[in-house]
Amino acid sequence: MFDQLDIVEERYEQLNELLSDPDVVSDSDKLREYSKEQSDLQKTVDVYREYKQNKEDIEEMNEMLNETTDKEEVDMLKSDISELKNTLPDLEADISELKNTLPDLEEQLKLLLIPKDPNDDKNVVVEIRAAAGGDEAAIFAGDLYRMYSRYSEALGYKTEVIEMNDSDHGGFKEISFIINGQGAYSKLKYENGAHRVQRVPETESGGRIHTSTATVAVLPEAEDVEIEIRNEDLKIETYRSSGSGGQHVNTTDSAVRITHLPTGIIATSSEKSQIQNREKALKVLKARVYDMKLQEEQEKYASERKSAVGTGDRSERIRTYNYPQNRVTDHRIGLTIQKLDQIIEGKLDEIIDALTMSEQTEKLKELNNVEL
């Protein structure tokens, strides 16, 4: 038990340091989170410290008692020791009561000890592609884009389209976009994989349910300090972007295509401004090269990869959206929710929270095998 109390006290001291950190003070969310955690630990730490201090005082006085022959000093020390010893039963009783709270505190601390994904706070590049299902797959890709856009908007994130390839009957054959916001990757990293939709297309006269799929890739935006892209390794081309006709046709060579020669990875952007296109395409290129390196590292740790729902094979079917039954099922954790109409409008919190909890539970199982 006292080993556990030592850990609680150590975390309390760590929180004191964090709460005086200027970066934390300027971040209201972190400040509130750490303050609450410190408040939860306060009573346990206060009682434990008083108990330890009294024990130390008694030991010191006993040493002094053994070293002195002065009668008055001996009597005074004995009186002080007796007084301190009288406090110990009460403190031990308090600690005994606090013992019941230790399992909960221990679980809280274990969650804090779970290694944080270094990419969690980053912006993300999201790429959605229509897969099996023709026009209906493209329409579904458009639905997914709208779902992520609305979810991001609710979180206060900003969405920027990088490249899109419209489908003639609605939706997108493919679309790439950046989501800018603190913690974007921590929320959206679980969306990697194949998404399946089951519904009756508008063009289906017989009322038959069709199954279509779209793939989603979520890449953490790479920072310059994490990956070096040399100018001499880049091939940059400009071209005239295609539009949907009429006034939307681009009459200047503003679209940009960047090729990373060592890996062959390509990124494009075809918005109106060539300067912005160059910046956006370079961001996407860096994210793709960085993601390639992450995937290579993850393959070295296959057993870890299996236990993390956010890093699975992107060809794996992760979720089904069944419109006739208003049902969404996430196959990785066996979660089924009868709220498809809300989820497709961007209300993803229930699914994201469940996936986060599942991953934390798996990591806690690993921590439970290591004694704190």
Side-chain angles (χ1 to χ4, degrees), residues 323 326-328 338-347:
Y323 274 75
N326 196 37
R327 184 184 72 225
V328 175
Q338 306 288 151
K339 299 177 183 177
L340 185 150
D341 54 335
Q342 298 177 37
I343 289 166
I344 205 68
E345 292 299 321
K347 296 182 179 178

Side-chain angles (χ1 to χ4, degrees), residues 98-118:
L98 288 170
K99 184 178 179 181
N100 296 326
T101 70
L102 284 177
D104 291 336
L105 286 173
E106 186 178 333
E107 288 305 307
Q108 291 175 31
L109 291 169
K110 282 181 178 178
L111 284 174
L112 293 165
L113 291 170
I114 291 175
K116 185 178 178 181
D117 188 329

Side-chain angles (χ1 to χ4, degrees), residues 35-207:
S35 296
K36 183 183 183 304
E37 186 188 347
Q38 187 191 51
S39 177
D40 291 342
L41 300 181
Q42 183 79 53
K43 181 180 178 183
T44 301
V45 172
D46 286 347
V47 172
Y48 183 46
R49 284 179 171 174
E50 186 179 358
Y51 177 81
K52 285 198 303 179
Q53 185 61 55
N54 285 6
K55 291 279 284 185
E56 288 174 10
D57 290 345
I58 289 172
E59 289 174 7
E60 287 179 9
M61 289 180 184
N62 276 323
E63 288 178 9
M64 292 170 63
L65 192 60
N66 293 330
E67 293 172 0
T68 185
T69 56
D70 184 276
K71 186 177 182 307
E72 287 187 8
E73 189 172 356
V74 168
D75 290 341
M76 183 179 67
L77 285 169
K78 284 182 177 180
S79 175
D80 289 343
I81 290 171
S82 177
E83 188 177 332
L84 282 171
K85 282 185 175 179
N86 288 335
T87 68
L88 291 181
D90 290 336
L91 287 170
E92 286 172 346
D94 288 341
I95 287 177
S96 181
E97 286 183 23
L98 288 170
K99 184 178 179 181
N100 296 326
T101 70
L102 284 177
D104 291 336
L105 286 173
E106 186 178 333
E107 288 305 307
Q108 291 175 31
L109 291 169
K110 282 181 178 178
L111 284 174
L112 293 165
L113 291 170
I114 291 175
K116 185 178 178 181
D117 188 329
N119 294 313
D120 272 354
D121 290 335
K122 293 181 179 177
N123 302 329
V124 294
V125 175
V126 183
E127 301 173 341
I128 303 174
R129 291 183 173 83
D135 291 337
E136 177 62 15
I139 293 170
F140 179 48
D143 293 338
L144 291 176
Y145 166 67
R146 184 182 63 185
M147 178 180 76
Y148 293 130
S149 296
R150 293 189 174 181
Y151 176 65
S152 300
E153 183 181 351
L155 292 172
Y157 298 162
K158 182 182 177 183
T159 301
E160 296 179 70
V161 173
I162 304 297
E163 180 82 353
M164 68 171 70
N165 185 356
D166 295 331
S167 171
D168 293 337
H169 298 280
F172 307 102
K173 294 178 181 177
E174 57 185 326
I175 182 168
S176 301
F177 52 100
I178 294 176
I179 297 177
N180 295 289
Q182 181 77 18
Y185 186 74
S186 70
K187 297 290 187 182
L188 291 158
K189 63 183 177 182
Y190 305 110
E191 297 304 295
N192 274 319
H195 295 241
R196 181 176 70 170
V197 64
Q198 295 173 327
R199 62 185 173 189
V200 179
E202 292 182 6
T203 55
E204 171 57 56
S205 57

Side-chain angles (χ1 to χ4, degrees), residues 183-368:
Y185 186 74
S186 70
K187 297 290 187 182
L188 291 158
K189 63 183 177 182
Y190 305 110
E191 297 304 295
N192 274 319
H195 295 241
R196 181 176 70 170
V197 64
Q198 295 173 327
R199 62 185 173 189
V200 179
E202 292 182 6
T203 55
E204 171 57 56
S205 57
R208 291 179 302 155
I209 295 174
H210 288 222
T211 297
S212 306
T213 57
T215 60
V216 176
V218 179
L219 320 179
E221 186 178 345
E223 298 175 10
D224 292 337
V225 294
E226 294 169 316
I227 187 164
E228 181 184 5
I229 301 288
R230 301 186 303 170
N231 289 332
E232 54 265 38
D233 289 337
L234 299 178
K235 179 183 178 183
I236 301 176
E237 303 167 278
T238 58
Y239 60 99
R240 186 167 299 177
S241 62
S242 59
S244 52
Q247 62 180 336
H248 299 294
V249 174
N250 198 329
T251 58
T252 61
D253 293 337
S254 63
V256 173
R257 179 189 296 111
I258 304 179
T259 304
H260 185 239
L261 299 175
T263 61
I265 290 174
I266 298 172
T268 60
S269 181
S270 56
E271 297 301 294
K272 293 180 180 179
S273 165
Q274 186 179 119
I275 294 175
Q276 290 182 354
N277 284 335
R278 188 184 179 108
E279 292 174 355
K280 289 180 179 180
L282 191 55
K283 279 185 179 181
V284 173
L285 184 79
K286 287 180 178 179
R288 288 177 179 169
V289 174
Y290 181 55
D291 181 66
M292 182 190 72
K293 294 182 181 295
L294 287 179
Q295 294 295 318
E296 290 173 353
E297 290 176 9
Q298 287 165 357
E299 287 173 6
K300 296 176 185 177
Y301 302 98
S303 60
E304 291 181 16
R305 192 177 179 188
K306 287 177 183 176
S307 68
V309 294
T311 55
D313 186 345
R314 285 184 186 150
S315 65
E316 176 190 2
R317 186 190 69 199
I318 64 166
R319 194 176 298 150
T320 295
Y321 305 73
N322 184 293
Y323 274 75
Q325 298 180 24
N326 196 37
R327 184 184 72 225
V328 175
T329 300
D330 195 288
H331 304 289
R332 294 164 293 181
I333 57 175
L335 174 70
T336 296
I337 304 175
Q338 306 288 151
K339 299 177 183 177
L340 185 150
D341 54 335
Q342 298 177 37
I343 289 166
I344 205 68
E345 292 299 321
K347 296 182 179 178
L348 280 166
D349 289 310
E350 192 170 346
I351 292 179
I352 300 297
D353 290 346
L355 289 165
T356 302
M357 181 65 70
S358 175
E359 185 173 35
Q360 288 180 342
T361 301
E362 289 299 318
K363 290 181 177 179
L364 273 176
K365 286 179 183 177
E366 296 175 11
L367 275 177
N368 282 333

